[in-house]
Amino acid sequence: MTAETAEGQWARYAAEGVLLDGFHALKHALRFGARVPVALATDRRATLALAAELAPDLVGTLDGLLREVPGTTLGALVPRPHPTGVAALALRDVGAPPAAPDREAPLVVLDNPRNLGNVGAVVRLAAGAGAAGVLTTGDVDPWHPAAVRAGAGLHFATHVERRPVAELPDGPLLAFDAEGADLRSVTVPAGAMLAFGSERRGLSDQLRARADRLVALPMRPQVSSYNLATSVAMALYHWLARPS
């Protein structure tokens, strides 16, 4: 029986797989339990050496997983090969986020975000801060390859899902808006959702109506706004810095 080519193996999983673009995305996905059926590298030895330096816990796993392919092959399989010369496909497992009574950490809600890089950056923040997950509304797919690339594969370290506002889970919802109460005066309750409007239009009327409270980030007068990921980082740091 002829062994399956790397291209054939890639094609078999391409329709259902999540693109892991680069060594760091693959590293994070593996660390957090992603099922990775195919991983390619243009220089296998160099990739394993990088793993020995940055992720020694994964050297054995990567040694058994990586298949070496020419750069031209990788370029034909992915739209923009990563500088590390690594690409992989992971299988996505999506369940429900933890219910409010069962979680202490907040869920981050992005209301109709428009920038995939921002979505990925927020996922990375949520994973690092230990948030319960990231939910998005609107038509942007939070699992788009550009978002996964910006999130460095950390989609597999937290819950990431798209949902309509009407289907957001139960729990107190704090929506960030310039008209709200100063965040420094607010205690984030257990099981809360922290909601942020889109980069251009802010909160939708539907999400504003769903909110239990409006909260504002501290901001110097005449400064119009923060970047979306910066806003989420400030809110999550406020939660992390709460008295124990």
Side-chain angles (χ1 to χ4, degrees), residues 1 70 98 115 123 125 180 187 209:
M1 183 176 180
N115 184 292
V123 170
L125 280 166
T187 299

Side-chain angles (χ1 to χ4, degrees), residues 76-144:
L77 296 175
V78 300
R80 183 164 57 109
H82 193 270
T84 56
V86 174
L89 293 172
L91 302 182
R92 178 181 166 192
D93 295 312
V94 176
D102 300 325
R103 70 173 191 267
E104 169 69 24
L107 284 166
V108 176
V109 178
L110 303 182
D111 188 23
N112 195 27
R114 311 314 304 159
N115 184 292
L116 290 165
N118 279 339
V119 173
V122 169
V123 170
R124 193 169 184 174
L125 280 166
V134 177
L135 303 179
T136 67
T137 72
D139 57 1
V140 167
D141 180 10
W143 285 85
H144 187 282

Side-chain angles (χ1 to χ4, degrees), residues 11-100:
R12 183 151 55 94
Y13 293 102
E16 59 177 323
V18 174
L19 176 62
L20 300 175
D21 200 10
F23 173 80
H24 298 289
L26 175 59
K27 170 191 73 178
H28 283 138
L30 289 172
R31 277 182 173 164
F32 289 96
R35 293 182 294 144
V36 180
V38 53
L40 309 178
T42 55
D43 189 333
R44 192 174 183 279
R45 287 182 62 186
T47 302
L48 290 174
L50 185 62
E53 178 183 356
L54 301 179
D57 54 310
L58 295 175
V59 170
T61 300
L62 289 168
D63 189 27
L65 181 62
L66 286 170
R67 298 186 66 170
E68 185 166 300
V69 295
T72 53
T73 297
L74 192 67
L77 296 175
V78 300
R80 183 164 57 109
H82 193 270
T84 56
V86 174
L89 293 172
L91 302 182
R92 178 181 166 192
D93 295 312
V94 176

